């Protein structure tokens, strides 16, 4: 399917990384630069796992939006 072509690995494979990033956010106060650093680390781990560039971009953007909203809540 088209989804399989865009996302060669399942989202389930990325969840542990997302969970670690969210937990890191809970334990640390993140300013703009630390959020960017966390986003870059998340991006690089997904790339190392073999995810497509499109998936990596969307997942990283989602993470940054999520941790930013959680910080404001």
């Amino acid at each position: 399917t088209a989804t399989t072509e865009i996302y060669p690995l399942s989202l389930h494979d990325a969840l542990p990384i997302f969970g670690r990033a969210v937990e890191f956010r809970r334990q640390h106060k993140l300013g703009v630069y630390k959020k960017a650093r966390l986003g870059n680390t998340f991006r690089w781990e997904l790339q190392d796992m073999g995810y497509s560039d499109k998936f990596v971009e969307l997942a990283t953007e989602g993470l940054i939006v999520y941790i930013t909203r959680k910080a404001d809540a």
Side-chain angles (χ1 to χ4, degrees):
T1 66
T3 304
T4 304
E5 292 172 15
I6 295 172
Y7 311 121
L9 302 172
S10 74
L11 180 58
H12 185 267
D13 296 329
L15 289 178
I17 298 169
F18 191 86
R20 287 196 324 253
V22 170
E23 183 60 31
F24 183 85
R25 164 61 191 97
R26 284 187 196 124
Q27 295 176 6
H28 299 86
K29 181 175 174 129
L30 300 179
V32 172
Y33 294 109
K34 288 184 180 178
K35 286 178 189 172
R37 184 175 175 189
L38 178 61
N40 283 332
T41 300
F42 181 75
R43 176 188 313 268
W44 296 326
E45 282 202 43
L46 291 177
Q47 287 172 337
D48 288 347
M49 291 175 70
Y51 283 94
S52 71
D53 291 340
K54 176 108 174 132
F55 179 85
V56 170
E57 187 65 31
L58 291 171
T60 302
E61 181 180 340
L63 174 70
I64 296 301
V65 168
Y66 182 79
I67 64 173
T68 300
R69 286 185 182 161
K70 284 298 208 183
D72 294 340

